[in-house]
Amino acid sequence: MIKRSTKMLALLTMSPFLLIACSGGESGSEESTEQDTLIFARGGDAVSLDPSEVTDNESENVAQSVLETLTTFAEGETTVEPMLASEWQESEDGLTHTFTLREGVKFHDGTDFNADAVAFNFDRWMNGSGDQFPMYGTVFGGYAGDEAHNIESVTAVDEFTVEIQLNRPQPTLLKDLALTPLSISSPAAIEEFGDDYRSNPVGTGPFVFQEWQPNERIALEKNDDYWIDGLPKLEEVIFRTIPDNSSRLNALLSGEVDLVAGLDSESHEQIEEEAGLELYSRPPLNLGYLGMTLTHEPFDDPLVRQALSHAVNKEAMVEAFFGEGAIPAKNVIPPAVEGYNDDIEPYAYDPERAKELLAEAGLPDGFSMELYAMPVSRPYMPDGAKVAEYLQSNFSDIGVDAEIVTFEWATYIEKAINGEADTFLLGWTGMNGDADNFIYTLLHGDNVGSTNSTQYDNPELNALLDQARIITDQEERNELYREAQVILHDDPPIIPLVHTSPSLAGKDNITGFDPHPTGRVMTSEIDFE
């Protein structure tokens, strides 16, 4: 086999992963005044602590301190660096990828990280389903036995060498392997805990899972045997759940927590003026949108979806509810992603045109629908309730009566994925900086029932996205994605609303914090001055 020289960086001085977390202190159930604990407050609780089961950031952000991936992203960027794999090679035909693993790494339960453990995890995922491991199927085109499944085999060549054999070239593979849902778990722990592994994660990361009090707190403690010398720098990380934005900010102002996510735009000036606090913004790599479920009438009619698209005054909405750096969205991918189609004209705010389209669809008097409002603050939508009320008002102007409903976060996601909503607010933060991660993940027909909550299945779009997954010329891929955006504009399953620069705030003595564009929360470098 001819090898192309793609041996990658052996791993510089170790800082492949800096990101976020929290300090100040809870230890067990008591408060501590020492600066060896980071307390990070967010709007919603995790759904599962096994990242392979989930697609939500609240779950993944905890898992990133406990489990690790074969590759990772550089600080502040989506370029690939080594993590549990120290180097790799790719065959000339792009089908065989050989990874050299780090030696001497242990899982938190004392078992060895090795090639057998990697193969075990892949075997678990590929023999699962979209209900069990949604992102695996999205990344690799399905599961064992599916025609589109792109992994032929994952083999432990020797103790520290893994070979991934693909059926087709996958230009995003190295970035895909950095995704949190493809973190490597302890095989022994999976076998020990069974279905309860989702509440007992065991990885190789800088922190060890300690306890989970649902809807209150998740506590992680320092991994004293972590494979990178000198890390982590903290003794403990606490993820606190504080659903209300104002309460979360007040907890920061009072010193109860150290770092918070999900800020109202009106809070920014207050934070900037407050002594001892600092405001952070992530680069915009996300989309907040209104999804329309095509299996519900009248959303099976593109005229209705176009009408709703014309009914939304995005400029006024963004100005009212989103902070500095947010821009109205016209496409599924943000402008910073390669393949963005800037030639597309956004749907103009035009209530009269919206009424005309409804009349053409046989609904001159409008219709009634449910509008799911997010119960938690997300980076792409700090206050889903306010946005839902704003959309409700816009739709009312064209004769559409939108009843706002909401649920607890895990239930909300489940209902949306299962196609139970008429319309729903959701969003996506780019996990690897590639257009595939937005368009294929959210809208390819193969992902209905997992990450495609609109139930949209357009053969023309599917074919373009499938083709873009197997060619390696980036400009050819970009052209396919530009064509895909035209299809989604003319036949819209979602109304793209906003791309944000998500804001966080924390104590100004926090060091080692990287507000990464992917939104990931990695805590190994976090410390206090």
Side-chain angles (χ1 to χ4, degrees), residues 363-438:
L363 297 166
D365 299 321
F367 62 94
S368 297
M369 69 180 196
E370 285 189 338
L371 196 168
Y372 278 29
M374 294 169 57
V376 300
S377 175
R378 303 301 304 125
Y380 47 76
M381 199 166 295
D383 197 326
K386 288 181 180 177
V387 172
E389 290 170 1
Y390 182 82
L391 295 176
Q392 181 186 52
S393 176
N394 278 181
F395 295 148
S396 177
D397 291 341
I398 65 168
V400 174
D401 179 21
E403 178 189 359
I404 296 173
V405 296
T406 193
F407 306 91
E408 182 268 332
W409 182 226
T411 303
Y412 184 98
I413 293 175
E414 181 180 7
K415 285 180 171 290
I417 287 173
N418 290 340
E420 296 182 33
D422 288 335
T423 62
F424 55 90
L425 286 171
L426 264 180
W428 188 258
T429 297
M431 302 170 80
N432 65 8
D434 195 88
D436 173 88
N437 185 240
F438 282 89

Side-chain angles (χ1 to χ4, degrees), residues 276-334:
L277 296 184
E278 186 169 350
L279 184 69
Y280 306 94
S281 290
R282 301 185 191 276
L285 189 64
N286 60 32
L287 169 73
Y289 66 88
L290 180 76
M292 298 169 281
T293 306
L294 273 67
T295 51
H296 291 214
E297 294 183 352
F299 304 102
D300 55 339
D301 188 337
L303 293 175
V304 172
R305 305 196 301 271
Q306 292 171 9
L308 293 185
S309 298
H310 276 297
V312 180
N313 188 341
K314 296 180 190 177
E315 298 279 354
M317 180 199 69
V318 170
E319 183 176 349
F321 304 118
F322 295 88
E324 184 177 344
I327 58 173
K330 65 177 180 179
N331 291 322
V332 177
I333 61 176

Side-chain angles (χ1 to χ4, degrees), residues 59 68 70 344:
S59 300
E68 296 176 310
L70 295 179
I344 288 176

Side-chain angles (χ1 to χ4, degrees), residues 461-475:
L461 177 76
N462 294 344
L464 287 175
L465 298 178
D466 289 340
Q467 187 179 356
R469 290 195 130 200
I470 61 173
I471 59 177
T472 56
D473 184 278
Q474 187 59 43
E475 186 46 46

Side-chain angles (χ1 to χ4, degrees), residues 37-184:
T37 299
L38 183 69
I39 304 177
F40 175 46
R42 70 262 182 83
D45 197 8
V47 175
S48 169
L49 299 185
D50 175 359
S52 65
E53 293 187 344
V54 298
T55 60
D56 71 294
N57 283 71
E58 302 297 12
S59 300
E60 292 184 19
N61 286 347
V62 177
Q64 286 149 4
S65 292
V66 178
L67 301 105
E68 296 176 310
T69 46
L70 295 179
T71 61
T72 191
F73 295 122
E75 178 181 349
E77 301 176 1
T78 55
T79 54
V80 175
E81 290 188 348
M83 189 177 257
L84 289 176
S86 59
E87 59 182 31
W88 45 86
Q89 293 176 312
E90 177 184 340
S91 62
E92 190 67 33
D93 61 7
L95 298 181
T96 304
H97 296 257
T98 305
F99 294 84
T100 301
L101 306 181
R102 297 193 181 283
E103 300 184 23
V105 177
K106 296 278 189 181
F107 290 106
H108 300 154
D109 57 9
T111 59
D112 292 331
F113 164 76
N114 53 30
D116 285 335
V118 174
F120 176 95
N121 277 264
F122 274 89
D123 186 67
R124 177 190 183 219
W125 301 327
M126 73 174 66
N127 287 290
S129 65
D131 290 339
Q132 295 171 292
F133 311 121
M135 278 305 298
Y136 176 88
T138 294
V139 168
F140 293 112
Y143 304 85
D146 294 344
E147 184 177 351
H149 183 223
N150 197 30
I151 289 192
E152 173 66 27
S153 62
V154 177
T155 306
V157 178
D158 58 38
E159 188 174 5
F160 298 108
T161 307
V162 169
E163 183 180 276
I164 297 179
Q165 183 73 33
L166 302 178
N167 293 313
R168 301 170 299 280
Q170 187 161 326
T172 60
L173 178 66
L174 294 179
K175 288 186 173 184
D176 294 333
L177 293 176
L179 303 182
T180 304
L182 299 183
S183 298
I184 305 301

